[in-house]
Structure formats: C-alpha cells, structure tokens
Amino acid sequence: MIPKPDLLAALEDNPQAALALARGLASHVRDLRSRLELRNIRSAPERVVAWLRLQVSGDPPMLRLDRPWTEIAAEIGLTHEAIYRALAVLERAGRLVRENGVVTLSAGSGTIEDAARKDR
C-alpha cells in the first residue's frame, strides 16, 4: 500500500507512470464491462460463444485453454453442468471443435436450436 499523498506526488512527477496507471484502469473497466455484457446473454451456448469470441485469435479463430472449463463457467456466470451442456450443443451444431485443450470456432452448419432439439 502506498499512502495517497505519496502516490499523487509520484504521478505528478512522472507523467509516464500516470499514463500507465490510466491505461491499466481503462483496461480493467473494459474487462468488467465485457463480463457484465456476457452475463446478460440468456442462452448458455450463446454466452459461451460470446466469451470465446473475446478470447480467440488467428484464422481460423482458436484458443488454447489455460484453465479448466469450470473456472470459465464461474467467470461467465454458468454452472459447470450448464457450460458442459452448452459446449456439447455447440459441438453438435458445428459451431466449435474441442481437441487437446484447443477450441476452434467455426461458422457451423447447424443452429444451436437444432442441436438442442436433438438433446431432447
């Protein structure tokens, strides 16, 4: 912890540090806003796709997972059961492929609704 007067003095004396702090805070705010937007998506499969779109890179868009799905579920406001059901629906719909810790998004040929109906 840094006393507030010391922090303010350091920021006044070092504009680069002030800019770095502002950038860090802006990044944190963007991350929190993204999480809130994700939690507003009612469909679990669509919430998972939206989270993946924020994380993927490359062509085709892919992500190497660095943590278990249960942690991701908690982050986006789903139970671990709901996220695994959503992943299964997305795979059946052709929207993603999971292999060896890598998730690849695809345009998919089926819809989530069609894949969900097959579950019933």
Side-chain angles (χ1 to χ4, degrees):
M1 293 196 44
I2 301 172
K4 182 179 176 180
D6 295 345
L7 175 63
L8 293 175
L11 293 175
E12 286 176 8
D13 292 343
N14 187 342
Q16 293 298 76
L19 186 57
L21 177 62
R23 285 183 178 144
L25 292 173
S27 175
H28 190 65
V29 168
R30 277 192 305 275
D31 180 55
L32 290 173
R33 289 184 68 165
S34 294
R35 286 184 188 202
L36 282 173
E37 288 298 319
L38 285 173
R39 286 177 178 249
N40 287 333
I41 299 172
R42 293 182 54 90
S43 162
E46 290 302 336
R47 192 181 303 185
V48 171
V49 168
W51 180 85
L52 284 166
R53 284 187 181 135
L54 291 171
Q55 310 299 318
V56 297
S57 62
D59 186 24
M62 59 179 44
L63 168 69
R64 178 169 296 284
L65 293 175
D66 60 354
R67 57 198 164 132
W69 282 109
T70 52
E71 286 182 25
I72 295 165
E75 177 183 325
I76 64 175
L78 295 173
T79 63
H80 67 277
E81 296 91 354
I83 201 165
Y84 286 115
R85 280 192 304 269
L87 289 166
V89 166
L90 292 166
E91 285 180 302
R92 275 192 300 285
R95 302 271 309 268
L96 64 80
V97 175
R98 292 186 293 162
E99 193 170 65
N100 299 324
V102 175
V103 179
T104 305
L105 287 180
S106 61
S109 56
T111 66
I112 290 174
E113 292 80 15
D114 291 339
R117 275 193 284 277
K118 289 178 188 174
D119 276 350
R120 295 181 192 136

